[in-house]
Amino acid sequence: MDALAALRLQLEWGADEALEDAPVDRYAATTAPPPPVELVPATLTRPPIVVPLVAVPVAVERAREAAAGAMTREALLDALARFDGCALAETAGKLVFADGNPGAGLMVVGDCPGDEEDRAGMPFVGPAGQLLDRMFASIGLDRGSFLATNVIPWRPPGGRPPTEMEIAICLPFLLRHVALVAPRRMVLLGTLATRAMLGGTLALSRARGRWHAIAVPGMDVTVQALPMAHPLGLLKAPRGKREAWSDLLRLRQALDADRRESEITPT
Ligand code: URA
């Protein structure tokens, strides 16, 4: 029973993934005698490994190159699947790319795949996705009316938040995806997607409620982006639903205005 209780506690703390086949006994590791000191003349010792300062920008640079080389969404998906510069790909189940209609003119961006998305290889199929579908259905939109994707295409282990570096490595792929889809409008769900696309450390509470024009590399025109609450946040704090509803109405009004405009000036 004690072992079961300890296991439950680990689950409550978010340790829901086994990353190694065999358990590691950390107590044994700390009490083991230190390895013998190698007595080698200083001139023969290996040079120090200076990893962070060199490796960090290189991974982002490699991501930029891989993303920029993709001329279609299929090529971008292929580039992501082959990219080995982000450790999240090692621990995630499946790569989660996108779902919906790339030609709809509306792109909806979340943060990271959850547990169910990781298993399905599709964004927004779990509880957050079900609420997202209900929210969008309330203004007459379904998965055919937008393309859903995430800033991070791999689920971080145990569902932890991604690091700044993981976000920086994944961002070039998202920006390239936006440029290839060329949506007129975007919805940014939650703080991570809002900060990734708008830059800086703007609080969602200050960013939401209005449209932001974003310049995306490779696009001639700016994209109008509307930050709003993430459905997962709304599941935890339903108080935010009132503001979310007003943001949904703002989105509906903008889409209606776009449609009227395109009826007057057909492309
Ligand atoms: N939350 C997200 O932001 N994206 C998903 O795909 C699922 C949950």
Side-chain angles (χ1 to χ4, degrees), residues 21-240:
D21 289 341
V24 179
D25 185 346
R26 305 271 172 213
Y27 292 102
T30 53
T31 53
V37 177
E38 235 180 308
L39 291 174
V40 192
T43 47
L44 293 184
T45 52
R46 282 179 226 107
I49 303 168
V50 191
V51 178
L53 284 179
V54 176
V56 162
V58 167
V60 177
E61 199 45 52
R62 285 188 52 225
R64 284 194 191 133
E65 274 168 25
M71 297 302 150
T72 60
R73 292 184 67 238
E74 291 70 27
L76 186 66
L77 174 56
D78 189 49
L80 260 174
R82 281 186 294 108
F83 185 65
D84 61 2
C86 184
L88 292 178
E90 306 288 318
T91 50
K94 288 191 177 154
L95 168 66
V96 178
F97 186 53
D99 180 40
N101 180 0
L106 175 64
M107 209 161 167
V108 176
V109 183
D111 42 43
C112 314
D115 188 24
E116 291 182 46
E117 288 79 14
D118 181 63
R119 277 196 290 267
M122 297 275 275
F124 292 105
V125 292
Q130 283 153 24
L131 179 56
L132 180 79
D133 286 345
R134 288 202 298 280
M135 286 162 64
F136 276 57
S138 72
I139 54 164
L141 303 181
D142 61 19
R143 291 282 171 124
S145 328
F146 60 90
L147 182 73
T149 189
N150 286 304
V151 178
I152 308 285
W154 299 282
R155 183 188 188 233
R160 66 156 170 79
T163 64
E164 290 295 323
M165 189 43 56
E166 287 159 353
I167 297 170
I169 293 170
C170 294
L171 192 56
F173 292 103
L174 173 63
L175 290 175
R176 187 70 190 142
H177 200 175
V178 176
L180 290 169
V181 170
R184 183 165 187 164
R185 297 188 182 269
M186 294 178 78
V187 171
L188 309 175
L189 296 172
T191 304
L192 199 158
T194 299
R195 287 186 180 166
M197 289 306 296
L198 301 187
T201 54
L202 199 60
L204 180 64
S205 56
R206 293 178 67 86
R208 63 148 292 278
R210 61 200 160 94
W211 289 95
H212 301 252
I214 23 184
V216 176
M219 287 184 73
D220 299 335
V221 289
T222 54
V223 183
Q224 294 296 319
L226 183 69
M228 62 178 288
H230 193 292
L232 207 57
L234 293 176
L235 285 172
K236 288 180 193 154
R239 268 178 297 120

